[in-house]
Amino acid sequence: MEHIAADADIAPVAALIAEPARAAILTALLGGRALAAGELARMAGVSAATASAHLARLLDGGLVAVVRQGRHRYYRLAGHEIAEVLEVLARISARPPVRSLRQSRQARQLEEARTCYDHLAGRAGVSLLDRLKDGGHYDGHDLTGQGERLLSRLGVDVAGTRRSRRRFAPECLDWTERRAHLGGALGAAITEVLFERDWLRRGPVPRAVTLTDAGRQGLEELFGSKELTSGTPVT
């Protein structure tokens, strides 16, 4: 069968993602942090040699990139586009069965608040977008003037974020909540500021984050409304 010249060849990329260990490695990197090969091997449940072979294929396929610090090598997703593909696949995939109390707790933490590569997701991310909409700060496509002033007070460089080559403020359907959270350059910029202020803090569960007491208070004052999440705060 003759192919249309403009067709994208998605089969090689799909094949790279489809292998279970590689899918686990890519999912582990959705937290946005660069991780060592040994840590990725542990998270994927494979040997160090097997993980190295998988990482070499992911590198060749352009799905991951290497960050070097001295003699050490760390791996991260090659860009936000890869994270977006993985997030879409998560939305249409079956959720794995929970087989232990520990897995149940981890699942709840991920549902409550997590990073989707570099922006806030889960109930906290959905709630943040709701607050922006309800307060007249975001109109479904872009920030309003009021929204720009609000986020500038938070410390977000809105003008600089607009200059990013990435989409500015798209809604991103959350795979656990089935409602939108804020993605794009603006979602990433807000999340970065929340971490810098120690309003968000990473925990032991990969990708899971927690809103601190300072974050709850700061966001309540910023929005003049209830906190983003109902989980246990971190002091």
Side-chain angles (χ1 to χ4, degrees):
M1 182 177 69
E2 185 177 354
H3 291 279
I4 300 172
D7 274 0
D9 188 7
I10 65 174
V13 175
L16 280 174
I17 298 173
E19 201 285 327
R22 289 197 292 271
I25 287 171
L26 292 169
T27 300
L29 294 174
L30 264 176
R33 291 187 289 180
L35 300 174
E39 188 171 5
L40 290 169
R42 178 182 59 79
M43 296 170 78
V46 297
S47 69
T50 299
S52 293
H54 284 312
L55 286 165
R57 292 197 61 182
L58 291 171
L59 275 168
D60 288 343
L63 299 187
V64 302
V66 173
V67 178
R68 291 180 172 82
Q69 292 186 357
R71 293 179 299 174
H72 301 287
R73 289 160 57 95
Y74 299 90
Y75 297 86
R76 60 173 176 79
L77 294 182
H80 63 87
E81 300 92 343
I82 311 302
E84 291 168 5
V85 169
L86 297 173
E87 190 76 6
V88 169
L89 287 173
R91 291 203 298 267
I92 61 174
S93 301
R95 299 185 67 177
V98 174
R99 303 186 185 279
S100 69
L101 180 61
R102 179 170 176 267
Q103 288 181 340
S104 178
R105 285 197 298 264
Q106 291 176 340
R108 285 199 302 271
Q109 286 177 271
L110 289 171
E111 290 170 358
E112 189 69 30
R114 67 181 183 277
T115 49
C116 174
Y117 186 53
D118 58 2
H119 58 270
L120 185 62
R123 290 193 193 96
V126 169
S127 181
L128 175 62
L129 181 57
D130 285 346
R131 300 292 176 267
L132 289 169
K133 286 181 173 180
D134 293 346
H137 308 298
Y138 177 79
D139 64 8
H141 304 282
D142 200 352
L143 285 178
T144 63
Q146 180 181 339
E148 292 203 13
R149 291 189 292 273
L150 177 89
L151 293 183
S152 294
R153 290 204 307 272
L154 180 63
V156 176
D157 179 5
V158 176
T161 303
R162 285 191 183 280
R163 292 193 293 270
S164 171
R165 297 171 65 181
R166 186 174 174 182
R167 289 177 64 194
F168 177 62
E171 292 190 5
C172 179
L173 184 63
D174 195 280
W175 70 269
T176 55
E177 293 301 295
R178 305 297 177 179
R179 295 177 57 222
H181 60 248
L182 185 64
L186 183 62
I190 293 172
T191 304
E192 182 179 7
V193 169
L194 295 179
F195 276 121
E196 288 174 352
R197 285 175 171 254
D198 197 35
W199 288 9
L200 280 181
R201 194 177 296 173
R202 299 185 190 275
V205 177
R207 297 184 64 195
V209 298
T210 308
L211 194 64
T212 64
D213 280 342
R216 289 174 184 275
Q217 181 178 347
L219 288 167
E220 286 175 26
E221 292 173 355
L222 188 71
F223 288 106
S225 60
K226 63 183 180 180
E227 68 271 11
L228 295 185
T229 65
S230 57
T232 302
V234 173
T235 57

